[in-house]
Amino acid sequence: MTKFFFYGSLREGGKNNYRILGSDKFGTGKKLGTAKINGFDLYISNDTDWPIPTACPGKSTLVGEVWELDEQLESFMYRFESGYLHQTVITGFGPCVIFYNNIPEDCYYLRKGYYHAKNGDFVASIAQNSI
């Protein structure tokens, strides 16, 4: 079973967590816990109906959850996140796969109404209504 680091809508409480990780339709997964990694900046869209998070290489700390996925869900996840790059990052739970964008700080996202969530935490940013 492969471990994944989810920082956005796949975290508990996120819309995609319920649809994908909360259902056996695509396979099974288990949350191992919360983790932080360095070297990524978090950007969030200003869309209040469905805020979209994206991580880019940077200088901040990113907050997320580590999930262990079976082969079926792992395969689905690579298809679901196919528009993103992926790499292995090290967490307190061991190596994990993260999906991210490779876009510089003066990126497309800032020009398209995204803001830099300096706390690195998608769930906390949404809860604080900081959009």
Side-chain angles (χ1 to χ4, degrees):
M1 294 178 83
T2 303
K3 294 178 197 142
F4 287 80
F5 180 87
F6 296 131
Y7 58 84
S9 65
L10 287 163
R11 287 177 62 185
E12 282 186 341
K15 292 183 180 187
N16 284 325
N17 179 279
Y18 173 76
R19 293 174 48 219
I20 297 169
L21 299 174
S23 162
D24 291 338
K25 180 177 180 181
F26 305 105
T28 59
K30 176 183 176 185
K31 179 183 170 185
L32 301 180
T34 302
K36 295 180 180 181
I37 59 171
N38 294 318
F40 287 90
D41 292 333
L42 177 66
Y43 295 90
I44 303 173
S45 72
N46 289 317
D47 184 341
T48 56
D49 292 328
W50 189 293
I52 301 169
T54 190
C56 303
K59 299 175 183 163
S60 302
T61 298
L62 191 60
V63 178
E65 296 171 354
V66 175
W67 285 72
E68 193 169 55
L69 309 182
D70 69 6
E71 289 181 26
Q72 181 183 352
L73 188 51
E74 175 184 353
S75 177
F76 173 81
M77 204 52 59
Y78 279 105
R79 290 189 311 276
F80 181 73
E81 300 284 17
S82 64
Y84 294 91
L85 301 171
H86 65 275
Q87 74 178 52
T88 300
V89 294
I90 304 301
T91 71
F93 297 94
C96 300
V97 175
I98 184 175
F99 295 98
Y100 67 97
N101 280 302
N102 191 18
I103 300 171
E105 192 167 316
D106 62 342
C107 71
Y108 162 87
Y109 292 101
L110 295 178
R111 294 191 306 272
K112 291 295 183 182
Y114 282 62
Y115 70 94
H116 183 193
K118 294 183 179 170
N119 66 1
D121 190 331
F122 176 67
V123 173
S125 293
I126 300 306
Q128 294 170 1
N129 220 4
S130 57
I131 292 180

